[in-house]
Amino acid sequence: MSEPTTHRLQPEIYYYTFGPNPPALRVRSGDRVVARTRDARGYDETMAPLPEERKQRHPDCEYCSSNPLVGPIYVEDANPGDVLAVQIEAIQLTRPSAWSRHNQHFGCFTGEGPGRRLLFNAPVPEQQYDWQLDLARGVGRLALPNSRIGAVEIPLHPFIGSIGVAPRFGRVETALTPGEYGGNMDCIETRAGTTLYLPVWVRGAYLAFGDVHAAQGDGEICGVALETTAEVTLRLWVLPGRALEWPRLEDDTHLMAVGNARPLWEAIQIAHLQLVEWLVADYGYDRWEALQVLSQVGTMRIPNVVDPAYTAIAKFPKRFLP
Amino acid sequence: MSEPTTHRLQPEIYYYTFGPNPPALRVRSGDRVVARTRDARGYDETMAPLPEERKQRHPDCEYCSSNPLVGPIYVEDANPGDVLAVQIEAIQLTRPSAWSRHNQHFGCFTGEGPGRRLLFNAPVPEQQYDWQLDLARGVGRLALPNSRIGAVEIPLHPFIGSIGVAPRFGRVETALTPGEYGGNMDCIETRAGTTLYLPVWVRGAYLAFGDVHAAQGDGEICGVALETTAEVTLRLWVLPGRALEWPRLEDDTHLMAVGNARPLWEAIQIAHLQLVEWLVADYGYDRWEALQVLSQVGTMRIPNVVDPAYTAIAKFPKRFLP
Amino acid sequence: MSEPTTHRLQPEIYYYTFGPNPPALRVRSGDRVVARTRDARGYDETMAPLPEERKQRHPDCEYCSSNPLVGPIYVEDANPGDVLAVQIEAIQLTRPSAWSRHNQHFGCFTGEGPGRRLLFNAPVPEQQYDWQLDLARGVGRLALPNSRIGAVEIPLHPFIGSIGVAPRFGRVETALTPGEYGGNMDCIETRAGTTLYLPVWVRGAYLAFGDVHAAQGDGEICGVALETTAEVTLRLWVLPGRALEWPRLEDDTHLMAVGNARPLWEAIQIAHLQLVEWLVADYGYDRWEALQVLSQVGTMRIPNVVDPAYTAIAKFPKRFLP
Amino acid sequence: MSEPTTHRLQPEIYYYTFGPNPPALRVRSGDRVVARTRDARGYDETMAPLPEERKQRHPDCEYCSSNPLVGPIYVEDANPGDVLAVQIEAIQLTRPSAWSRHNQHFGCFTGEGPGRRLLFNAPVPEQQYDWQLDLARGVGRLALPNSRIGAVEIPLHPFIGSIGVAPRFGRVETALTPGEYGGNMDCIETRAGTTLYLPVWVRGAYLAFGDVHAAQGDGEICGVALETTAEVTLRLWVLPGRALEWPRLEDDTHLMAVGNARPLWEAIQIAHLQLVEWLVADYGYDRWEALQVLSQVGTMRIPNVVDPAYTAIAKFPKRFLP
């Protein structure tokens, strides 16, 4: 096969919504895209803030200010009913620091979020945490002055926190609320070596991404991971007629299906049903036998219990495929 | 006061989303709007279908096909941080029939909806129910050939099922999913004599409405009410600087606050917190004394447990206001 | 029919669980029981506390200290698979005062309860509210020194907050957590003129009750109603072979079915399914026609969103029965 | 230290509830217990059924028929406010077969369970699956006649599905519904090499266990794992005054805390809050620094989304302890 076209994407405007915003780039199936992402608050690798005039702005309304996105990328020949396969080739961290944060009204314990203040809740003490990243060794370090341990050093595992296409039904969604289109799933598995399959809902797909995390635990309990910047390399493929209802992922070892919903149990149901459907449609499994095997060998990860929609991933080991 | 300007709105295009779609009408605070709505499937008072070319269409994507909306109405001087007060002056039913429907994959018992198929569920038997409306007597009649009772005749209480403004954060939402902007709340109280207060999130507000119900029970359990057409008369007022987070309603007897969310308990929390806030901000109640009184005299209605976001209304009797 | 036997029940021991505790009374189907209940904290009509030695105690464990119950009443000829019909003949308030309370870690806004502390929550300010009851006029009055209104006077509507039988499967449950056996449902409808139908799970039924409320709003939002004492008169009937899965109620105007569960949506599903089943089994409704009619004329009340299981009541107007 | 006393427990009666049932054995802190468990339907290692007269039976009521338990074990000197540490020394599978099952009205997709039938749901096709266990190689094999793959062979990882003490507040709970006392948590981590910490709610603790699984996936999606028999060896310790609210586990690599509740989000909150509390109380972590580190390095497993209470486990790697 011929060498793919590589596009270097330098966004002028960063968007805070997933939707058919004016494309920043047009590509074809098989092309490669390389782009530098800003962190969840818009800082770049030098910690320079994102200038106001480069943020998605409309004089008539305000935007949720988390997760500025690179894109959108318009994929020629991507039509509703197709799948956009996003092969994550590399995520190169580009800054020796990441920050995390406890916000007063966000996170698993508060149950709150932008636009959803529960006025009787105690605010969580607002606090920023500055992690130093040793990119050569692949670790992050945080001083803990109030704890006996004094500091921790944790392995880094960079991944894309927010990546999706324009949503279904003409919806435009914030970069904070994942859904049937992907979005802010905070999925550890969205890393180099994984292919992400996204349903195409709007012709052109309108892929956008950002919010790279250097590390994160399950659930993203405090609401914020190790937020940093990266250079992301993706290869994009259109799979015609492979209609999906929800995102999926695949790597060397697992088939994975995603549900994004509230309540969490619904996200779990969606993910597991999609995984069974995949086993039936593509791997010759009988539906009920697939349910039995999945029930005994499947694993489940809960990436996010903090966003307006929660995320669940159901995973099936490929060693049990024919 | 001078006579308000009355606008007769005849939509060319019916929208299936709430958002800053091209305005169908521009009005000023204090104006009156009269419009004829189509039913949830787009039929008019003669049961003529909505022609495809008059539906919100975009060549690049499909829309959820429920609840075509009249509007949007651009309200001059409505700015973010203001409230749009919608005084519902009249809802005149215009057709001697309404239909309801059991859909295979929608409703309280299935937990499904557009884009959310739970593949292992039994489909509910698809069935249309044709109600005859006697508008003079204000009753609806349904033949029940398989039941001992043979038929029922129920009182009608027309109300607007879907009414809202452009959502927050630049979102565009389907006419099926209510939220912080109003929308498909299926609220019985959204009837003549009630004023609905909607937060203005986008300058101009972009009010839209449709989906009038001739009658409906709590929860909208089967997913569909008595769907029909009506002529709706609204008076619109801008209340500057009266910022709200969620919709509210008011009639002669009650203050009411609305939560639209999943899970339902969250919608209930939102509604009750907003109601307490209202009592504190406008009626001189101490926060905790307001909580106590509300806990003893408040009522709660659950209009919808079928849509992608559920609706709860918390109600406080005005007889307990100073 | 001959005059029913009337039993005056003066409990020696007050139980804090629903289960096959040693019966305080044995009755037959058709008998009447009159008993004086203590309030939710065990005070009697003179505000005398419940002595420790008269509380259900076991040297080996502690009990949840809310809702001391009168009973249990062993009903001869009540067998598993039967229904115990509890005809509530009278609830006579017996004290000119009721108290309510805000507890630090209980109520709709905290989501906490006994054994379920969410350590990061703000405690709600602990506060007792003393309501004066004018039993002749049927109103309760509360001074509100911190609010502009100064005081409120509200109508009383006494009802039984906790009433149930021994649970299913050999379970023993606290007087705080309702379930398939009834229990702490906090149902406004559990008042004079209503008949409560409880499934018999254990031979003898083991009916117990207490926790009379002088008044209460939907949801019992702060966690506590107007707690007071009463003399309760019940007539008990065994309906053989009329097996139920969940409690039901009936009065002059409505058939009602109850669900007690978390999450709330599940309680709502249970209640509505049971109501449909009732219409089919006893009133000749076709299942799907019953669903349609219920969807259009049904009402729903949410008595409690504070206890370890939430309660939902689905109601069907009897005017639509053959 | 002197050799611990080893008790071989041969139950006469198998209980279907967790509660202060008549003890089958009395032990002291430090003792070892060895017992053979029956499978979830009561079959022993020869597939002989459990005779009716050896099942917990009461002439007055029926029991939920899943998970017959070995015990209860009365632990001398175990008092409310203490912790019972259960050191799982060995789980030796004793039968070359396991069965799994799809039941009509149970499992993640139906949302149903004993006593909770949703009458409109499609029954899942009832089907038993017979797994052959090669205990020497530690694998299980299932023929899949309707699937292309033909059969699967999966690694075994035996663990105890149900283990707990008498519940709190005088409750008696089925062997199906986990809670603040442990119970049917279906936790993969409850395996040899792990210590389970259970709060003592009733003097004597009344430990019981059963329901060993040869293997299981996250969520126990179909409702049933690989059910089989085993010989279980436990060492029991009383930790005086180490009061817990919820169960915990510990192995070589992780501290783990458990929440058992509905909705699942509540179980997740409970588990994570308990884990933070543990880090603060025993490891000198500052509360907010613990939250930050847990948010970045914690993992979460969801063992069960099928039982009347769901289970979540929050896990903290011990490498990040001082």
Side-chain angles (χ1 to χ4, degrees):
Chain A
M1 186 169 64
S2 63
E3 262 301 297
T5 308
T6 296
H7 306 261
R8 290 201 155 271
L9 173 50
Q10 302 262 57
E12 254 311 300
I13 300 291
Y14 285 78
Y15 287 90
Y16 286 87
T17 55
F18 287 93
N21 296 306
L25 180 68
R26 287 173 177 269
V27 304
R28 305 202 81 90
S29 180
D31 285 0
R32 176 178 286 121
V33 175
V34 182
R36 293 194 154 225
T37 60
R38 285 177 173 259
D39 73 27
R41 280 191 143 192
Y43 293 99
D44 72 6
E45 51 271 5
T46 71
M47 287 301 291
L50 181 59
E52 288 305 302
E53 64 272 14
R54 292 184 62 195
K55 295 182 181 180
Q56 173 178 28
R57 295 191 75 71
H58 194 287
D60 291 344
C61 74
E62 54 141 337
Y63 287 93
C64 185
S65 60
S66 273
N67 300 343
L69 304 168
V70 161
I73 298 167
Y74 188 101
V75 183
E76 308 280 1
D77 304 321
N79 290 293
D82 295 343
V83 162
L84 180 68
V86 181
Q87 193 180 341
I88 304 171
E89 292 191 325
I91 301 172
Q92 176 66 50
L93 297 179
T94 54
R95 195 171 76 194
S97 69
W99 55 268
S100 186
R101 194 170 183 83
H102 293 176
N103 292 305
Q104 284 197 332
H105 298 289
F106 191 56
C108 179
F109 297 139
T110 74
E112 302 180 315
R116 289 183 179 206
R117 276 287 307 280
L118 299 181
L119 300 156
F120 284 15
N121 258 5
V124 173
E126 195 101 4
Q127 179 70 44
Q128 177 147 323
Y129 295 93
D130 295 308
W131 290 78
Q132 297 166 305
L133 307 187
D134 182 328
L135 299 184
R137 293 176 48 229
V139 297
R141 187 178 188 281
L142 179 69
L144 301 171
N146 302 312
S147 302
R148 189 191 319 163
I149 197 177
V152 285
E153 196 173 85
I154 74 175
L156 303 180
H157 52 98
F159 64 97
I160 305 171
S162 292
I163 177 166
V165 290
R168 193 174 185 180
F169 296 135
R171 300 200 307 120
V172 172
E173 187 54 83
T174 66
L176 193 68
T177 305
E180 77 293 349
Y181 69 96
N184 188 34
M185 297 181 287
D186 294 324
C187 247
I188 288 168
E189 289 82 357
T190 319
R191 61 193 160 209
T194 294
T195 298
L196 170 67
Y197 301 107
L198 294 169
V200 175
W201 297 119
V202 179
R203 183 165 62 189
Y206 290 84
L207 179 74
F209 56 94
D211 186 38
V212 167
H213 295 169
Q216 183 200 302
D218 286 346
E220 201 181 32
I221 295 300
C222 74
V224 184
L226 266 64
E227 308 289 343
T228 191
T229 60
E231 183 178 88
V232 174
T233 305
L234 308 174
R235 190 106 184 260
L236 304 181
W237 304 94
V238 176
L239 309 179
R242 292 289 308 277
L244 292 183
E245 294 276 313
W246 291 90
R248 295 178 181 175
L249 305 103
E250 181 172 1
D251 64 13
D252 288 342
T253 57
H254 285 84
L255 302 181
M256 298 171 269
V258 179
N260 297 307
R262 284 200 184 191
L264 179 58
W265 193 75
E266 184 174 322
I268 289 173
Q269 265 199 334
I270 289 167
H272 285 84
L273 281 163
Q274 289 297 316
L275 194 49
V276 167
E277 274 294 288
W278 195 355
L279 293 172
V280 170
D282 290 5
Y283 294 99
Y285 261 95
D286 166 78
R287 161 159 291 154
W288 303 111
E289 290 177 0
L291 173 60
Q292 171 60 204
V293 175
L294 173 60
S295 296
Q296 310 310 346
V297 303
T299 56
M300 183 192 328
R301 192 190 286 273
I302 306 295
N304 133 49
V305 284
V306 298
D307 298 317
Y310 301 143
T311 301
I313 294 187
K315 305 173 68 165
F316 187 85
K318 286 167 102 165
R319 57 198 273 210
F320 301 114
L321 297 176
Chain B
M1 185 168 62
S2 63
E3 262 300 299
T5 308
T6 297
H7 306 261
R8 291 201 153 271
L9 173 50
Q10 302 262 57
E12 254 312 297
I13 301 291
Y14 285 78
Y15 287 90
Y16 287 87
T17 56
F18 287 93
N21 295 307
L25 179 67
R26 289 175 176 266
V27 305
R28 306 202 82 92
S29 179
D31 285 1
R32 177 178 285 122
V33 176
V34 182
R36 293 192 156 228
T37 59
R38 285 177 172 261
D39 71 28
R41 281 192 142 192
Y43 293 99
D44 71 5
E45 51 270 5
T46 72
M47 286 303 290
L50 182 57
E52 287 306 301
E53 64 272 15
R54 293 183 62 194
K55 295 181 181 179
Q56 173 178 26
R57 296 192 72 72
H58 193 286
D60 291 343
C61 73
E62 52 141 339
Y63 288 92
C64 185
S65 61
S66 272
N67 298 345
L69 302 167
V70 162
I73 298 168
Y74 188 100
V75 183
E76 308 280 1
D77 303 322
N79 289 293
D82 295 343
V83 161
L84 180 67
V86 181
Q87 193 180 338
I88 304 171
E89 292 191 326
I91 301 172
Q92 176 65 51
L93 297 177
T94 54
R95 195 171 76 195
S97 69
W99 54 267
S100 186
R101 193 170 183 83
H102 292 175
N103 293 305
Q104 285 199 333
H105 298 289
F106 191 57
C108 178
F109 297 138
T110 74
E112 302 180 311
R116 288 184 179 205
R117 279 286 307 281
L118 298 181
L119 301 155
F120 285 14
N121 257 7
V124 174
E126 196 102 5
Q127 179 70 43
Q128 177 146 324
Y129 295 93
D130 294 308
W131 290 77
Q132 296 165 310
L133 306 187
D134 183 327
L135 298 184
R137 292 175 50 228
V139 296
R141 187 176 189 282
L142 179 68
L144 301 172
N146 302 313
S147 302
R148 187 191 318 163
I149 198 176
V152 286
E153 196 172 84
I154 74 175
L156 303 180
H157 52 98
F159 63 97
I160 304 171
S162 292
I163 177 166
V165 291
R168 192 172 185 181
F169 296 136
R171 303 201 304 121
V172 173
E173 187 54 85
T174 67
L176 193 68
T177 305
E180 77 293 350
Y181 70 97
N184 188 33
M185 299 181 287
D186 292 325
C187 246
I188 288 170
E189 289 80 359
T190 318
R191 60 192 161 210
T194 294
T195 299
L196 170 67
Y197 300 107
L198 294 170
V200 176
W201 297 119
V202 178
R203 183 166 63 187
Y206 290 83
L207 179 73
F209 57 93
D211 185 36
V212 168
H213 296 170
Q216 184 201 303
D218 287 345
E220 204 183 28
I221 296 300
C222 73
V224 183
L226 266 63
E227 308 289 342
T228 191
T229 60
E231 183 178 88
V232 173
T233 306
L234 307 175
R235 190 108 184 257
L236 304 181
W237 304 93
V238 176
L239 308 180
R242 291 290 308 279
L244 293 182
E245 294 277 314
W246 291 91
R248 294 177 180 178
L249 304 103
E250 182 173 359
D251 64 12
D252 289 343
T253 57
H254 285 83
L255 304 180
M256 299 171 270
V258 179
N260 297 306
R262 285 198 184 193
L264 179 58
W265 193 76
E266 184 175 323
I268 289 174
Q269 264 199 335
I270 289 168
H272 285 84
L273 280 163
Q274 289 296 315
L275 195 49
V276 168
E277 274 293 289
W278 194 356
L279 293 171
V280 170
D282 290 6
Y283 294 100
Y285 261 96
D286 167 76
R287 162 158 291 152
W288 304 111
E289 290 177 0
L291 173 60
Q292 171 61 202
V293 176
L294 174 59
S295 298
Q296 309 310 346
V297 301
T299 56
M300 184 194 326
R301 190 189 288 272
I302 306 296
N304 131 49
V305 284
V306 298
D307 298 317
Y310 300 143
T311 301
I313 297 188
K315 305 172 68 164
F316 188 85
K318 287 167 103 165
R319 58 198 273 210
F320 301 115
L321 296 176
Chain C
M1 188 170 62
S2 62
E3 262 300 299
T5 307
T6 297
H7 305 262
R8 292 203 152 267
L9 173 51
Q10 303 262 57
E12 254 311 298
I13 301 290
Y14 285 79
Y15 288 90
Y16 286 86
T17 56
F18 287 93
N21 295 309
L25 180 68
R26 290 174 175 266
V27 305
R28 305 201 82 90
S29 179
D31 285 0
R32 176 179 287 121
V33 176
V34 181
R36 293 193 155 225
T37 60
R38 285 177 173 259
D39 72 27
R41 280 194 143 190
Y43 292 101
D44 72 5
E45 51 270 7
T46 70
M47 288 302 291
L50 182 58
E52 288 308 301
E53 63 273 15
R54 293 183 61 194
K55 296 181 181 180
Q56 173 178 27
R57 297 191 73 70
H58 193 286
D60 291 344
C61 74
E62 53 142 337
Y63 288 92
C64 185
S65 61
S66 271
N67 299 343
L69 303 168
V70 163
I73 299 168
Y74 187 101
V75 185
E76 308 280 0
D77 303 321
N79 290 293
D82 295 342
V83 161
L84 179 67
V86 182
Q87 193 180 338
I88 304 171
E89 292 191 326
I91 301 172
Q92 177 66 50
L93 297 178
T94 53
R95 195 172 74 195
S97 69
W99 54 268
S100 186
R101 194 169 182 84
H102 293 175
N103 293 306
Q104 284 197 335
H105 298 289
F106 191 57
C108 179
F109 297 139
T110 73
E112 302 181 310
R116 289 184 179 205
R117 277 285 308 280
L118 299 180
L119 301 156
F120 285 13
N121 258 5
V124 173
E126 195 100 4
Q127 179 70 43
Q128 177 145 323
Y129 295 93
D130 295 307
W131 289 77
Q132 296 165 308
L133 307 187
D134 183 326
L135 300 184
R137 293 175 49 227
V139 295
R141 186 178 189 281
L142 179 67
L144 302 172
N146 302 314
S147 303
R148 187 192 319 163
I149 197 176
V152 287
E153 197 173 84
I154 75 175
L156 303 180
H157 52 99
F159 64 97
I160 305 171
S162 293
I163 176 165
V165 291
R168 192 173 186 181
F169 297 136
R171 302 199 305 121
V172 174
E173 187 55 83
T174 66
L176 193 69
T177 305
E180 77 293 351
Y181 70 96
N184 188 33
M185 298 182 285
D186 293 323
C187 245
I188 288 169
E189 290 80 358
T190 318
R191 61 193 160 207
T194 294
T195 299
L196 169 67
Y197 301 107
L198 294 169
V200 175
W201 297 120
V202 179
R203 183 165 63 189
Y206 289 85
L207 179 74
F209 57 94
D211 186 37
V212 167
H213 296 170
Q216 182 199 304
D218 286 346
E220 204 182 28
I221 295 298
C222 73
V224 185
L226 265 64
E227 309 288 343
T228 191
T229 60
E231 184 178 87
V232 173
T233 306
L234 309 174
R235 192 108 184 257
L236 305 181
W237 305 93
V238 175
L239 308 180
R242 292 289 309 277
L244 293 181
E245 294 277 314
W246 292 91
R248 295 177 180 177
L249 305 101
E250 181 174 359
D251 64 12
D252 289 343
T253 57
H254 286 84
L255 303 180
M256 299 171 268
V258 179
N260 298 305
R262 285 200 185 190
L264 179 58
W265 193 75
E266 183 173 324
I268 289 173
Q269 265 201 333
I270 289 168
H272 285 84
L273 281 163
Q274 289 297 314
L275 195 49
V276 167
E277 274 294 290
W278 196 353
L279 293 171
V280 170
D282 289 6
Y283 294 100
Y285 262 96
D286 165 77
R287 163 157 291 153
W288 303 111
E289 290 176 0
L291 173 60
Q292 171 62 202
V293 176
L294 174 60
S295 297
Q296 310 309 347
V297 302
T299 56
M300 183 194 327
R301 191 190 287 273
I302 306 295
N304 132 49
V305 284
V306 298
D307 298 316
Y310 301 142
T311 301
I313 295 188
K315 304 171 70 165
F316 187 86
K318 286 166 103 165
R319 57 198 274 209
F320 301 115
L321 298 176
Chain D
M1 184 169 65
S2 63
E3 262 300 298
T5 307
T6 296
H7 305 261
R8 292 201 153 271
L9 174 49
Q10 303 261 58
E12 253 312 297
I13 301 290
Y14 285 79
Y15 287 91
Y16 286 87
T17 56
F18 286 93
N21 297 307
L25 180 67
R26 289 175 176 265
V27 304
R28 304 200 82 90
S29 180
D31 285 1
R32 175 179 288 123
V33 176
V34 181
R36 295 194 152 223
T37 60
R38 286 177 172 259
D39 74 25
R41 281 192 143 192
Y43 293 99
D44 71 6
E45 50 270 5
T46 71
M47 287 300 291
L50 181 57
E52 287 305 303
E53 64 272 16
R54 293 183 61 195
K55 296 181 180 179
Q56 174 178 25
R57 296 191 73 71
H58 194 288
D60 291 344
C61 74
E62 53 141 337
Y63 288 92
C64 184
S65 60
S66 273
N67 300 343
L69 304 168
V70 162
I73 298 168
Y74 187 102
V75 183
E76 308 281 359
D77 303 323
N79 290 293
D82 295 344
V83 161
L84 180 67
V86 182
Q87 193 180 340
I88 304 170
E89 292 190 326
I91 301 172
Q92 176 67 50
L93 297 178
T94 53
R95 195 171 76 194
S97 69
W99 55 267
S100 186
R101 196 171 181 83
H102 293 175
N103 292 306
Q104 285 198 334
H105 298 289
F106 191 57
C108 179
F109 298 138
T110 74
E112 302 180 312
R116 288 180 179 205
R117 278 285 308 282
L118 298 181
L119 301 155
F120 285 15
N121 257 7
V124 173
E126 195 101 4
Q127 180 69 44
Q128 177 147 323
Y129 295 93
D130 294 309
W131 290 76
Q132 296 165 309
L133 307 186
D134 183 327
L135 299 184
R137 293 175 48 228
V139 296
R141 187 177 188 281
L142 179 68
L144 300 171
N146 302 313
S147 302
R148 189 191 318 164
I149 198 175
V152 285
E153 197 172 84
I154 74 175
L156 302 180
H157 53 98
F159 64 97
I160 304 171
S162 293
I163 177 165
V165 291
R168 193 173 185 181
F169 296 136
R171 302 199 305 120
V172 173
E173 187 54 83
T174 67
L176 193 68
T177 305
E180 77 294 348
Y181 70 96
N184 189 33
M185 298 181 286
D186 294 324
C187 245
I188 288 169
E189 289 80 359
T190 318
R191 61 194 161 209
T194 294
T195 298
L196 170 67
Y197 300 108
L198 294 169
V200 176
W201 297 119
V202 179
R203 183 166 64 188
Y206 290 83
L207 179 74
F209 57 94
D211 185 36
V212 168
H213 296 170
Q216 185 199 302
D218 286 346
E220 203 183 28
I221 296 298
C222 74
V224 183
L226 266 65
E227 308 288 345
T228 192
T229 60
E231 184 178 87
V232 173
T233 305
L234 309 173
R235 191 104 184 259
L236 304 181
W237 304 93
V238 176
L239 308 180
R242 292 289 309 279
L244 292 182
E245 295 276 314
W246 291 90
R248 295 176 181 177
L249 304 104
E250 182 173 359
D251 64 12
D252 288 345
T253 57
H254 285 84
L255 302 181
M256 298 171 269
V258 180
N260 297 306
R262 284 199 184 192
L264 179 58
W265 194 75
E266 185 173 322
I268 288 173
Q269 265 199 335
I270 289 167
H272 285 84
L273 280 163
Q274 288 296 316
L275 195 48
V276 167
E277 274 294 288
W278 195 353
L279 292 171
V280 170
D282 290 6
Y283 295 98
Y285 261 95
D286 166 76
R287 161 159 291 152
W288 303 111
E289 291 177 359
L291 174 60
Q292 172 60 204
V293 176
L294 174 58
S295 297
Q296 310 309 348
V297 301
T299 56
M300 184 193 326
R301 191 190 288 272
I302 306 295
N304 133 48
V305 284
V306 298
D307 298 317
Y310 301 143
T311 301
I313 296 188
K315 305 171 69 165
F316 188 85
K318 286 167 102 165
R319 56 198 275 209
F320 301 115
L321 296 175

